[in-house]
Coordinates of all heavy atoms in Angstrom, one line a residue:
L322 N 9.4 -22.0 -2.5 CA 10.7 -22.2 -2.0 C 11.8 -21.6 -2.9 O 12.7 -21.0 -2.4 CB 10.9 -23.7 -1.9 CG 10.0 -24.5 -1.0 CD1 10.3 -26.1 -1.0 CD2 10.2 -24.0 0.4
A323 N 11.5 -21.6 -4.2 CA 12.5 -20.9 -5.1 C 12.6 -19.4 -4.9 O 13.8 -18.8 -5.0 CB 12.2 -21.3 -6.6
V324 N 11.5 -18.8 -4.7 CA 11.5 -17.3 -4.4 C 12.2 -17.0 -3.1 O 13.1 -16.2 -3.0 CB 10.1 -16.8 -4.4 CG1 10.0 -15.5 -3.8 CG2 9.5 -16.7 -5.8
V325 N 12.0 -17.9 -2.1 CA 12.7 -17.7 -0.9 C 14.2 -17.8 -1.0 O 14.9 -17.1 -0.5 CB 12.1 -18.7 0.2 CG1 13.0 -18.7 1.5 CG2 10.7 -18.4 0.5
A326 N 14.6 -18.9 -1.8 CA 16.0 -19.1 -2.0 C 16.6 -17.9 -2.7 O 17.7 -17.6 -2.3 CB 16.1 -20.3 -2.9
E327 N 15.9 -17.3 -3.6 CA 16.5 -16.2 -4.4 C 16.5 -14.9 -3.6 O 17.5 -14.1 -3.5 CB 15.8 -16.0 -5.7 CG 16.6 -14.9 -6.5 CD 16.1 -14.9 -7.9 OE1 15.4 -15.8 -8.4 OE2 16.4 -13.8 -8.6
A328 N 15.4 -14.7 -2.8 CA 15.2 -13.4 -2.1 C 16.0 -13.3 -0.8 O 16.5 -12.3 -0.4 CB 13.6 -13.2 -1.7
R329 N 16.3 -14.4 -0.2 CA 17.2 -14.4 1.1 C 16.6 -13.6 2.2 O 16.8 -12.4 2.2 CB 18.5 -14.0 0.8 CG 19.3 -15.1 0.0 CD 20.7 -14.6 -0.5 NE 20.7 -13.6 -1.4 CZ 21.1 -12.3 -1.2 NH1 21.6 -12.0 0.0 NH2 21.0 -11.4 -2.1
Y330 N 15.8 -14.3 3.2 CA 15.2 -13.5 4.2 C 16.0 -13.6 5.5 O 16.6 -14.5 5.8 CB 13.8 -14.1 4.5 CG 12.8 -13.8 3.4 CD1 12.7 -14.6 2.3 CD2 12.0 -12.7 3.3 CE1 11.9 -14.3 1.2 CE2 11.2 -12.4 2.4 CZ 11.1 -13.2 1.2 OH 10.3 -13.0 0.2
A331 N 16.0 -12.3 6.2 CA 16.5 -12.3 7.5 C 15.5 -12.8 8.6 O 16.0 -13.1 9.7 CB 17.0 -10.8 7.7
S332 N 14.2 -12.7 8.3 CA 13.2 -13.2 9.2 C 11.9 -13.3 8.4 O 11.8 -12.7 7.3 CB 13.1 -12.3 10.5 OG 12.3 -11.1 9.9
A333 N 11.0 -14.1 8.8 CA 9.7 -14.2 8.1 C 8.7 -14.9 9.0 O 9.0 -15.6 9.9 CB 10.0 -15.1 6.9
F334 N 7.6 -14.7 8.6 CA 6.3 -15.3 9.2 C 5.6 -16.2 8.1 O 5.5 -15.7 7.0 CB 5.3 -14.2 9.7 CG 6.0 -13.2 10.7 CD1 6.6 -12.2 10.1 CD2 6.0 -13.6 12.0 CE1 7.3 -11.2 11.0 CE2 6.7 -12.7 12.9 CZ 7.3 -11.5 12.4
S335 N 5.3 -17.4 8.6 CA 4.7 -18.3 7.5 C 3.5 -19.0 8.2 O 3.5 -19.3 9.3 CB 5.7 -19.3 7.0 OG 6.3 -19.8 8.0
F336 N 2.4 -19.1 7.4 CA 1.1 -19.6 7.8 C 0.6 -20.6 7.0 O 0.6 -20.6 5.7 CB 0.1 -18.5 8.1 CG 0.7 -17.2 8.8 CD1 1.1 -16.2 8.0 CD2 0.8 -17.2 10.1 CE1 1.7 -15.0 8.6 CE2 1.3 -16.0 10.7 CZ 1.7 -14.9 10.0
K337 N -0.3 -21.5 7.6 CA -1.2 -22.4 6.7 C -2.4 -21.5 6.4 O -2.8 -20.8 7.2 CB -1.6 -23.6 7.6 CG -0.5 -24.5 7.9 CD -1.1 -25.9 8.5 CE -1.4 -25.6 10.0 NZ -2.0 -26.8 10.7
Y338 N -2.8 -21.7 5.1 CA -4.0 -21.0 4.7 C -5.1 -21.3 5.6 O -5.4 -22.5 5.9 CB -4.3 -21.3 3.2 CG -5.7 -20.8 2.8 CD1 -5.9 -19.5 2.6 CD2 -6.8 -21.7 2.6 CE1 -7.1 -19.0 2.3 CE2 -8.1 -21.2 2.3 CZ -8.2 -19.9 2.1 OH -9.4 -19.3 1.7
S339 N -5.9 -20.3 6.1 CA -7.0 -20.5 6.9 C -8.3 -19.9 6.1 O -8.2 -18.8 5.6 CB -6.8 -19.8 8.3 OG -8.0 -19.7 8.9

Side-chain angles (χ1 to χ4, degrees):
L322 295 178
V324 165
V325 172
E327 190 171 338
R329 292 175 288 118
Y330 289 88
S332 75
F334 304 89
S335 46
F336 312 98
K337 288 188 281 179
Y338 171 70
S339 170

